[in-house]
Amino acid sequence: MNNRPLRILMLSAEMTPFAKTGGLADVVGALPKALRDLGHDIRVCLPRYGFVDKARFALKPALKAFTVPMNGQTEEVEILQTEIGRGIPVYFVENAKYYDREDIYMYHDDADRFILFCRAALEMARKLDWQPEIIHCNDWHTAIIPNWLATIYREDPFFAGTASVYTIHNLAYQGVFGHRVLEIAGLAKYEFNIAQCPGENQINFMARGLYFADCINAVSPTYAREILTPEYGEGFDWLLRQRRDRLYGVLNGIDYETIDPSTDPHIPAHFSLHDLSAKRLVKAALQYEAGLSVDAETPLIGMISRLSDQKGFDLIGQVIEALMAHLDLQLILLGTGDDRYHQLFQSIHDRFPARAAVFLTFNTPLAQRIYAGSDMFLMPSRFEPCGLGQLIAMRYGSVPIVRRTGGLADTVQEFRADLAAGNGFTFGPYDSMAMFTAIVRATVSYTYRETWRLLMMRCMSLDFSWHASAEKYVELYQRALASHAEHKMPPQFAQVPG
Ligand code: ADP
């Protein structure tokens, strides 16, 4: 592998510790540290949302106000800067009108907000006179960049050599808007439409990222294969099949520095692979905090998740009565999302107050206590690009119970005590009884305490740190640079199957 240091600009709507709704933030907060450790000049840029506190994160002015083309006019932005890890610059695009909000998404002008963010990030690089060789885009919010590099910036000497890598963290969120966004993005004069987009006559940001990026990554090998099929392709399996030669499945990692049961400041006692003794204290403290009976013998199943259809909560709704009636277990859920799931879990708690605890909030310290204090971690997802919950759980000795899909299939194998193999409990069909029997296998195994201790240790000894995956990303960056140099953009129009 060519080890020459690369200049990489990573763009994202979310990044830990500044702004987070899910796994995207964790990835963008951690992968740059691993890339830096490999010697690359990695810099990150995100919007400065109103809730990102300037004093808390020591944000300093980096560039004075400058204007950015937008919607046929210009918009003024400033750039602030801080640092994470070992000297990684993180830039923030400041514009009160678009970003001084309480949340990251779900505003009527989200298209405008992320178009401005992306354009400002490109112009920022020019003003800093720092020429990125790779722009690493994440999800639909930044998917317009590969489209621009192939059009507006194509003849621009500053960006001519810049290749794009586009990571799909979740194909289901595509950023679909009316045609007006092409005017806003300055792309209206470039006649281009991808036929057969779901919702004809709409502009789909995700599709543009998939179409124009030099390389695409889909965060786990299994998800990268699954999205080539109509079942998982969210309407774009045909486009992904056409771009198959650019599609990779580099698995996400987690940040082993901050996610560590031997140092985590959010948990009441520390433990490690070599000394698990304090885990029972952490479990007892969690049971007490959550209002559950404090009982070491009853297995405690944790769930930490967005409450959306994707995550398989309908399966839980179908068997919850039977689970509570027939199995000796406790549940603890932390999550926010769809109202109907809020109601479902609220009613589970009302019926089984000493055995089912429910926190309908977003709370990172509590999440850490649940990962650390639970015995098992349930993730019955309908689809799962990678999934970080199960990886974090394993790091804290909480054994995953998952559906075999996407990254869950790549990271959890069925436990076989007789073979001393596997690291969790899995089921294949999207079916509540299949999930039920996986939970039964887990709770029965739990009663064999020595076997369970070895299983916990198997989970904790696995390496899901970013190191190996960061090296694979570097290979991807190099492939992107090579294909960018080879193929003059834009590529031929995709041939839509008739
Ligand atoms: P996704 O990105 O699809 O939401 P992942 O499993 O990849 O799912 O990542 C979810 C991340 O968000 C994990 O770090 C998880 O701990 C965190 N998380 C999800 N819900 C909550 C919550 N309610 N409070 C705190 N952290 C949460």
Side-chain angles (χ1 to χ4, degrees):
M1 188 170 91
N2 175 0
N3 282 326
R4 179 178 71 79
L6 297 170
R7 289 184 303 279
I8 307 154
L9 177 60
M10 191 173 298
L11 303 185
S12 173
E14 298 187 28
M15 178 182 188
T16 299
F18 309 107
K20 166 167 174 174
T21 69
L24 168 63
D26 292 347
V27 170
V28 178
L31 171 58
K33 293 183 191 168
L35 291 167
R36 183 82 196 88
D37 289 348
L38 293 175
H40 299 283
D41 181 359
I42 165 84
R43 306 185 185 197
V44 191
C45 184
L46 66 157
R48 213 283 292 180
Y49 307 107
F51 57 84
V52 178
D53 191 85
K54 288 189 200 172
R56 178 175 165 216
F57 293 115
L59 305 193
K60 303 271 177 326
L63 287 176
K64 287 206 212 68
F66 62 94
T67 55
V68 174
M70 180 159 160
N71 204 12
Q73 300 163 0
T74 56
E75 192 66 45
E76 199 169 80
V77 297
E78 282 170 51
I79 305 293
L80 303 176
Q81 180 179 354
T82 190
E83 239 181 57
I84 62 154
R86 287 165 276 277
I88 301 165
V90 181
Y91 301 109
F92 292 83
V93 175
E94 174 95 320
N95 175 295
K97 181 168 120 199
Y98 286 111
Y99 309 125
D100 195 3
R101 316 257 174 110
E102 281 175 17
D103 287 308
I104 301 176
Y105 320 110
M106 305 304 275
Y107 295 102
H108 72 281
D109 56 352
D110 276 357
D112 314 47
R113 296 170 71 229
F114 290 109
I115 287 170
L116 175 65
F117 160 59
C118 291
R119 196 74 191 255
L122 290 181
E123 293 304 325
M124 169 195 85
R126 195 198 304 278
K127 295 235 172 259
L128 292 170
D129 196 23
W130 181 79
Q131 204 167 18
E133 295 169 277
I134 297 288
I135 299 188
H136 184 159
C137 306
N138 293 281
D139 274 351
W140 77 260
H141 326 103
T142 54
I144 202 75
I145 296 265
N147 194 169
W148 278 337
L149 291 178
T151 51
I152 302 179
Y153 286 93
R154 193 179 173 199
E155 306 299 335
D156 185 326
F158 192 82
F159 289 105
T162 303
S164 59
V165 169
Y166 180 63
T167 295
I168 308 167
H169 294 268
N170 194 330
L171 194 59
Y173 299 95
Q174 301 185 345
V176 180
F177 301 92
H179 268 99
R180 189 186 63 92
V181 298
L182 289 186
E183 301 283 347
I184 297 169
L187 285 168
K189 68 177 173 177
Y190 297 91
E191 281 291 317
F192 171 78
N193 209 347
I194 302 176
Q196 286 201 356
C197 283
E200 224 176 306
N201 286 329
Q202 287 182 315
I203 301 304
N204 187 310
F205 279 61
M206 171 74 79
R208 285 170 185 260
L210 301 179
Y211 183 77
F212 284 106
D214 290 301
C215 278
I216 305 165
N217 186 41
V219 300
S220 72
T222 298
Y223 191 58
R225 280 193 305 275
E226 285 173 341
I227 57 179
L228 299 174
T229 67
E231 187 186 350
Y232 291 94
E234 302 286 346
F236 284 114
D237 46 295
W238 62 271
L239 178 54
L240 286 157
R241 285 196 299 276
Q242 286 182 5
R243 305 228 69 210
R244 195 181 207 141
D245 59 327
R246 310 289 182 102
L247 177 64
Y248 299 86
V250 177
L251 189 73
N252 284 338
I254 54 174
D255 187 340
Y256 269 40
E257 279 176 23
T258 54
I259 299 174
D260 182 350
S262 66
T263 54
D264 190 330
H266 302 303
I267 62 177
H270 292 125
F271 56 93
S272 68
L273 176 60
H274 309 293
D275 180 4
L276 278 166
S277 51
K279 173 126 178 150
R280 52 187 300 136
L281 296 177
V282 180
K283 173 175 174 180
L286 176 64
Q287 286 172 318
Y288 181 76
E289 176 181 3
L292 300 167
S293 331
V294 177
D295 174 3
E297 302 311 314
T298 304
L300 174 55
I301 302 184
M303 283 174 279
I304 300 168
S305 181
R306 286 184 293 113
L307 301 182
S308 79
D309 287 345
Q310 175 201 337
K311 300 291 182 176
F313 291 111
D314 48 336
L315 298 186
I316 296 171
Q318 287 162 29
V319 290
I320 190 69
E321 291 291 344
L323 270 181
M324 298 315 259
H326 299 297
L327 301 182
D328 180 25
L329 53 76
Q330 296 180 346
L331 290 178
I332 179 164
L333 169 110
L334 169 64
T336 54
D338 293 358
D339 267 352
R340 65 197 164 107
Y341 294 127
H342 282 218
Q343 283 159 19
L344 168 72
F345 282 103
Q346 195 54 57
S347 81
I348 294 171
H349 169 68
D350 292 345
R351 277 180 293 156
F352 309 98
R355 295 176 58 209
V358 172
F359 296 91
L360 301 174
T361 57
F362 194 96
N363 182 333
T364 299
L366 176 57
Q368 299 306 100
R369 291 197 289 280
I370 296 175
Y371 285 120
S374 57
D375 299 300
M376 302 159 191
F377 190 78
L378 179 59
M379 237 169 133
S381 305
R382 186 180 284 275
F383 68 93
E384 194 58 72
C386 174
L388 298 182
Q390 83 282 14
L391 304 184
I392 305 171
M394 284 191 269
R395 175 91 164 132
Y396 285 89
S398 180
V399 176
I401 305 171
V402 304
R403 178 163 175 256
R404 283 192 303 277
T405 183
L408 297 173
D410 292 324
T411 55
V412 184
Q413 276 77 45
E414 182 72 23
F415 177 55
R416 288 283 306 266
D418 53 338
L419 303 177
N423 58 325
F425 300 89
T426 69
F427 61 100
Y430 191 74
D431 174 89
S432 55
M433 281 320 290
M435 178 185 77
F436 189 98
T437 52
I439 296 174
V440 170
R441 291 198 301 281
T443 52
V444 170
S445 303
Y446 183 78
T447 60
Y448 296 89
R449 302 315 299 265
E450 184 51 21
T451 306
W452 191 265
R453 200 178 63 82
L454 293 174
L455 174 54
M456 281 166 60
M457 291 173 69
R458 290 179 69 80
C459 289
M460 293 176 81
S461 60
L462 293 169
D463 183 1
F464 293 110
S465 67
W466 264 106
H467 185 75
S469 295
E471 283 187 344
K472 291 198 180 130
Y473 258 113
V474 174
E475 276 173 40
L476 209 68
Y477 295 150
Q478 275 155 351
R479 283 194 191 151
L481 277 172
S483 11
H484 185 79
E486 237 170 69
H487 302 273
K488 276 287 167 211
M489 297 290 276
Q492 290 303 302
F493 276 76
Q495 293 301 308
V496 180

